[in-house]
Amino acid sequence: MTHPLLDLAPLTAGRFAAIERRVAALLATEHDVVITQGEALLPLEGCIRGAARPGSTALNVVTGPYGQTFGDWLRDCGAEVVDLEVPFHTAVTAAEIDRALIDHPEIDFVSLVHAEAATGNTNPVAGIGEVVRRHGALFMLDAVASVAAEPLLVDAWGVDLCVIGAQKAMGGPAGVSAVSVSPRAWERLAANPSAPRRSYLSLLDWKQRWIDAGRTALPHAPAQLEMLALDACLDRVETEGLATVMARHASAAAATRAGALALGGGLTPYVHEAPDAAPVATTLRAPEGVDASELVTRALDADPSLPLIAGGGALASTMIRVNHYGVAATRAVVRSSLAALGTALGAYGITVDQEAADEAVLETW
């Protein structure tokens, strides 16, 4: 019995390397790119465990839950950690980063999330990268949610370790991810005796067995279906045009924000200022006295396919996320999501203006 997902010809080293080059072009980087065979938490943890060690000091910027996770990993590695915690309804500024680095000149590593889909904010990486470069620290960026949704210029911004995943704005698979590694990041990893080696977390293994060996033989069997899906989603992004993909996400975010405000009923943007709002997801604060999880459940009753979810953890009762990324970054999805939320609010006896919300989406898109 044949099946389109089975009995495929082996993925060659040449095809694998070609996909790496396409990812590098997407990131606007000349740095080495490693495509890791797992979800993006794999290279994120690999970067931190490779770069951090006892005696190092890290500035960990916390604008959402992933920043909190990075701090835990850094401490596990024995690094001293300076947490710069920013309210989730806003973004960190380059000036705040600069002050932290001046106050702690021993900092040699900075970790930052570009866009926090979980909280709906995005951080100004270009200015931050300039500050980090000036202080000489190594700069790691989690761009899993931002890649293909907003500008991402790895080399121009001075990013040493940039991790991406394809499952959000790129509309691709979650089972593979990638990281770009600058020459000085490789030096940092190689000089760290605690960096993972002979490990699934090891970037150094990929450098030794794949990059330095001329990319002629893969070090292990690749995740073939996920690699082919990654190649296909890169095709789709290139066919649509990266600028067009990013514009579509920006329109979805602006329209969702405007539509929610016009809908009324006490639904308000969680991120206060529009420039701080991520293009991949709009977070909304539930009306006073309404549980966000219950509201989302009611909204999904009519159409469970809508990209609506309640906030995670402590935010579950107050935050609603509209995940308008990838194929969901369309005007139709935004309109349907707001209509479902309006209907759910009406079930609470809350007056909303569905017509105004729809007009706001159409005018803003």
Side-chain angles (χ1 to χ4, degrees):
M1 185 179 75
T2 61
H3 190 283
L5 300 181
L6 300 175
D7 306 318
L8 301 172
L11 189 73
T12 65
R15 180 76 177 277
F16 195 99
I19 298 172
E20 283 184 338
R21 290 192 294 272
R22 298 184 77 185
V23 172
L26 180 68
L27 302 183
T29 184
E30 297 293 327
H31 298 164
D32 290 325
V33 167
V34 176
I35 299 181
T36 44
Q37 306 296 285
E39 200 269 341
L41 282 173
L42 169 64
L44 286 167
E45 185 172 358
C47 287
I48 287 179
R49 296 198 182 278
R53 62 179 180 179
S56 62
T57 302
L59 175 65
N60 181 49
V61 184
V62 182
T63 57
Y66 283 102
Q68 294 170 331
T69 298
F70 297 165
D72 292 337
W73 286 340
L74 287 161
R75 291 181 179 88
D76 286 347
C77 295
E80 293 294 323
V81 181
V82 177
D83 284 321
L84 176 53
E85 298 186 4
V86 179
F88 291 174
H89 63 256
T90 187
V92 72
T93 66
E96 289 173 310
I97 302 283
D98 194 29
R99 283 196 295 273
L101 293 172
I102 290 171
D103 291 343
H104 299 274
E106 70 277 14
I107 288 172
D108 56 16
F109 182 82
V110 175
S111 56
L112 175 72
V113 178
H114 190 180
E116 286 268 14
T119 49
N121 55 35
T122 191
N123 295 300
V125 180
I128 291 169
E130 181 180 348
V131 168
V132 174
R133 256 197 326 270
R134 189 166 67 245
H135 287 271
L138 202 75
F139 187 20
M140 186 195 89
L141 184 69
D142 172 352
V144 174
S146 61
V147 62
E150 56 186 301
L152 178 58
L153 305 173
V154 167
D155 290 2
W157 294 350
V159 180
D160 294 294
L161 294 160
C162 182
V163 175
I164 67 163
Q167 69 268 34
K168 288 189 166 61
M170 292 174 66
V176 288
S177 47
V179 53
S180 64
V181 188
S182 74
R184 70 194 205 110
W186 282 129
E187 292 175 3
R188 171 76 169 251
L189 270 62
N192 182 5
S194 302
R197 292 170 172 83
R198 298 171 297 281
S199 164
Y200 204 59
L201 289 173
S202 175
L203 296 177
L204 290 172
D205 288 359
W206 277 97
K207 181 164 178 20
Q208 178 185 4
R209 299 176 60 193
W210 171 245
I211 297 171
D212 292 347
R215 296 184 174 88
T216 56
L218 288 163
H220 54 71
Q224 183 170 358
L225 292 177
E226 288 80 2
M227 288 295 296
L228 294 175
L230 174 60
D231 207 22
C233 87
L234 288 165
D235 280 340
R236 188 162 62 181
V237 169
E238 290 174 8
T239 298
E240 185 176 357
L242 180 58
T244 302
V245 176
M246 290 191 293
R248 179 162 53 83
H249 283 82
S251 293
T256 304
R257 189 180 185 91
L261 288 169
L263 184 67
L267 206 62
T268 57
Y270 192 89
V271 178
H272 293 180
E273 302 296 330
D276 295 338
V280 288
T282 296
T283 48
L284 303 168
R285 190 177 295 277
E288 188 71 29
V290 174
D291 183 271
S293 295
E294 293 178 2
L295 181 64
V296 167
T297 298
R298 290 191 178 193
L300 292 175
D301 281 344
D303 186 356
S305 70
L306 292 174
L308 299 172
I309 188 172
L315 300 173
S317 64
T318 57
M319 178 188 284
I320 301 151
R321 283 170 52 188
V322 185
N323 291 324
H324 42 67
Y325 53 71
V327 295
T330 67
R331 183 163 53 190
V333 168
V334 170
R335 293 173 70 185
S336 296
S337 297
L338 290 171
L341 288 171
T343 299
L345 287 169
Y348 285 89
I350 297 173
T351 301
V352 296
D353 192 336
Q354 294 273 20
E355 184 177 344
D358 204 44
E359 287 178 359
V361 170
L362 294 176
E363 291 173 0
T364 306
W365 192 275

